[in-house]
Amino acid sequence: MVIPHTNANIKIEITNLDIWFDSTQAVKNLNLKIYANEILSIIGPSNSGKTTFLRMLNRLNELDSNFKISGIVKMDRKDITKMDIELLRKQVGMVFALPLPLPLSIFDNIAYGARMHGIKNKQKLAQIVEQALQKAYLWEEVKDRLSTSAFKLSGGQQQRLCIARTLAVEPEVILFDEPCSGLDPISTAKVEEAMLKLKKDYTIVLVTNNVKQAARVGDRTAFFLNGDLVEIDTTDKIFTTPSDQRTNDYISGKFG
């Protein structure tokens, strides 16, 4: 289902965004709206600015001392650069390319964020853990071994564990940065299935080098090249009748 484009359901709005690292401009005059409960797929070759843009949405770029920004990024009409950064990262969770479970049990991996936010009640924590694992479609596979190390899970299970850990702190937006790059096709399909079901309750932004993945899960797709947003449209249109020849060339494998 394509989300109707109305001002009422804009979740994130980017206006005239420029991002530099020293003298290198990674994102150039970006204007973009992301709608609530959509999956926005972002594609493009290496060094196109797509991951820099993604990291902007929860201000991870600020960890680089050479980072500079101009422009406006708003979520729910609030400037994210003026938000408390811990609150922002609670609202905008991120799942990285490589699964990064903590050296803890499966249960404690999921409960970690909730505990950090002050929840100590064991019954409440158990409920949070179960709900998060169910939403990540991992509960049935791990419910009888929650006390075992997260490192004993397969790579695909570890990635869904990281999704569950993100969900446990009740974000509104989930950022996926190449979440299936190291996974086999079966694990990839499970992560994609989770994404498609999660968009009912969350807004999802997916950066992927796998154009077929973008086509499978995205409601809309944006094509980035050399820091520019070349075009954005419904995924069907991007993959069948793109407006820009460069988009067609990238999707068809002529470069990238």
Side-chain angles (χ1 to χ4, degrees):
M1 181 186 74
V2 176
I3 305 297
H5 296 179
T6 68
N7 288 335
N9 66 359
I10 295 171
K11 185 65 178 176
I12 297 171
E13 185 167 13
I14 297 98
T15 307
N16 300 331
L17 178 66
D18 293 293
I19 298 175
W20 292 268
F21 294 93
D22 277 337
S23 59
T24 301
Q25 189 167 1
V27 173
K28 304 171 185 174
N29 193 35
L30 177 63
N31 291 278
L32 177 61
K33 295 173 182 175
I34 301 172
Y35 295 93
N37 305 103
E38 77 167 334
I39 299 178
L40 174 64
S41 296
I42 299 178
I43 60 173
S46 298
N47 300 314
S48 60
K50 56 190 190 295
T51 293
T52 296
F53 164 67
L54 194 74
R55 290 167 64 90
M56 177 64 231
L57 297 178
N58 71 349
R59 293 172 53 188
L60 278 176
N61 291 318
E62 294 177 17
L63 297 172
D64 190 316
S65 60
N66 298 314
F67 165 74
K68 294 182 293 183
I69 179 179
S70 68
I72 301 170
V73 181
K74 290 185 176 182
M75 184 173 70
D76 297 329
R77 299 185 175 86
K78 297 175 185 174
D79 186 341
I80 70 166
T81 64
K82 294 180 170 63
M83 291 178 65
D84 175 82
I85 200 160
E86 293 305 319
L87 175 61
L88 174 68
R89 289 179 183 161
K90 182 177 184 293
Q91 293 178 350
V92 184
M94 190 159 186
V95 177
F96 296 91
L98 293 175
L100 298 168
L102 301 169
L104 302 168
S105 70
I106 294 168
F107 183 96
D108 288 337
N109 261 269
I110 309 304
Y112 182 84
R115 287 182 173 134
M116 291 291 288
H117 287 98
I119 298 173
K120 305 298 182 188
N121 181 280
K122 290 183 179 180
Q123 188 174 355
K124 177 65 173 174
L125 286 171
Q127 181 183 22
I128 288 170
V129 169
E130 180 175 347
Q131 288 177 345
L133 287 168
Q134 284 180 338
K135 286 183 176 180
Y137 299 92
L138 188 57
W139 174 251
E140 292 299 326
E141 296 168 44
V142 303
K143 65 182 180 181
D144 297 323
R145 49 181 175 139
L146 295 176
S147 61
T148 61
S149 169
F151 293 134
K152 292 187 176 180
L153 298 174
S154 70
Q157 288 173 327
Q158 287 185 16
Q159 191 61 296
R160 282 181 285 146
L161 178 85
C162 292
I163 294 171
R165 193 173 68 205
T166 298
L167 296 175
V169 297
E170 300 182 333
E172 298 173 20
V173 178
I174 308 173
L175 312 176
F176 287 92
D177 187 13
E178 293 286 347
C180 303
S181 59
L183 302 184
D184 61 82
I186 292 173
S187 296
T188 294
K190 288 184 177 180
V191 171
E192 290 177 2
E193 180 185 8
M195 280 188 222
L196 288 167
K197 292 179 178 177
L198 287 169
K199 74 173 182 177
K200 177 171 67 75
D201 298 311
Y202 305 91
T203 300
I204 294 174
V205 186
L206 165 68
V207 162
T208 180
N209 284 328
N210 183 338
V211 293
K212 291 181 179 178
Q213 180 174 70
R216 285 192 296 264
V217 304
D219 296 297
R220 292 189 302 150
T221 296
F223 173 54
F224 280 56
L225 182 64
N226 298 325
D228 290 309
L229 172 59
V230 174
E231 66 176 299
I232 180 170
D233 214 318
T234 62
T235 295
D236 284 348
K237 187 172 187 306
I238 288 288
F239 280 88
T240 54
T241 54
S243 301
D244 193 292
Q245 184 61 41
R246 293 170 293 175
T247 309
N248 188 63
D249 289 347
Y250 178 74
I251 289 169
S252 61
K254 292 183 180 176
F255 72 95

